Amino acid sequence: MPLKKLWEMKWTEVVEYAKKVNDVVIVPIGSIEQHGPHAPLGTDALNAIKVAEMVSERTGAVVAAPIWYGAHMYHQLGFPGTVPIRTDVLKEYVKDVIRGLANAGFNKIIILNAHGQQWALISALHDIVPEVKVFVAVATLWELARKTINEVCEEPFRHADECETSISLALYPELVDMSKAGKEHPPTFIDSKFLGGTTWLPDAGFPHHNISAFYFQKDTLKLGILGDATKASREKGLKIVEAAVNTLTEFINQLLQKFPPGKSPFK
Ligand SMILES: [Zn+2]
């Protein structure tokens, strides 16, 4: 199917497309955040955008204009290169984007998140759905591919590490400099078994911080890597990307089967 980008469509085309062809829209959201000396600041946003585009080609869903900046956990603040957006600001921004997309006729809106900012997005979702009365879901890249990540990576996924760098190598290898990749395992306040995390535990959510207790990254990280980026490979990344694309594609197809274009679960 042809890739559909919202910003390249005319308003009349959007209304017609949502009514008759496909009323699912994917909003990619990432962050501008340090990802070590080897991977670009836009890693999270690029991952969300590229996966959304692949899903669009398979399902006909429209890709909305991406949200490049993201909200950040406190321990990430102050690291050079990271540009945090205040949670309340991002939340209101996301809600306005959802309002606009609902007004254009999209009955199914999927926020595709590739950065650890669920608290802001889930909170926006619960605020906005009663108002717009369209289906809104928050999907997180790491959750979509968690099983595959655990299978192909030696270490649990954290940040700019084996897993995330593998995805970068799969999607935009020209922006990765593996000669600068390194490994870092910074200290924690307490034993990491209390902290949960991304794929630390088989059934852990992301981020699943059982107890939030972190040093500021700028004080403890030399490179900005949490894990071992030298273990990354394009092959691992391709498997992870494929798993995420498959899961989201299946989800959208089921959604459309149950609620065809023009039909909202809430109307
Ligand atoms: Zn990232």
Side-chain angles (χ1 to χ4, degrees), residues 31 33-35 43-45 47 114-116 142 157-160 164:
S31 71
E33 179 188 13
Q34 70 78 14
H35 275 76
T43 290
D44 294 344
N47 291 347
H115 169 58
W142 320 112
F157 161 61
R158 293 192 73 190
H159 173 77
E164 200 167 28

Side-chain angles (χ1 to χ4, degrees), residues 8-62:
E8 293 181 351
M9 298 168 80
K10 285 84 183 167
W11 78 265
T12 44
E13 184 190 355
V14 170
V15 170
E16 196 71 3
Y17 193 82
K19 208 178 280 175
K20 295 190 180 147
V21 185
N22 198 317
D23 60 354
V24 176
V25 64
I26 307 169
V27 187
I29 176 163
S31 71
I32 295 297
E33 179 188 13
Q34 70 78 14
H35 275 76
H38 64 291
L41 297 177
T43 290
D44 294 344
L46 289 168
N47 291 347
I49 293 164
K50 289 182 186 292
V51 167
E53 290 181 353
M54 290 166 81
V55 172
S56 168
E57 283 168 343
R58 294 195 196 179
T59 62
V62 174

Side-chain angles (χ1 to χ4, degrees), residues 97-136:
V97 170
I98 291 171
R99 284 186 186 101
L101 294 171
N103 186 53
F106 292 105
N107 290 308
K108 297 114 189 169
I109 299 170
I110 297 168
I111 312 290
L112 177 57
N113 175 39
H115 169 58
Q117 55 194 343
Q118 282 79 345
W119 75 91
L121 304 177
I122 298 287
S123 175
L125 179 155
H126 286 287
D127 276 3
I128 198 73
V129 171
E131 179 192 317
V132 294
K133 295 191 176 61
V134 301
F135 177 85
V136 183

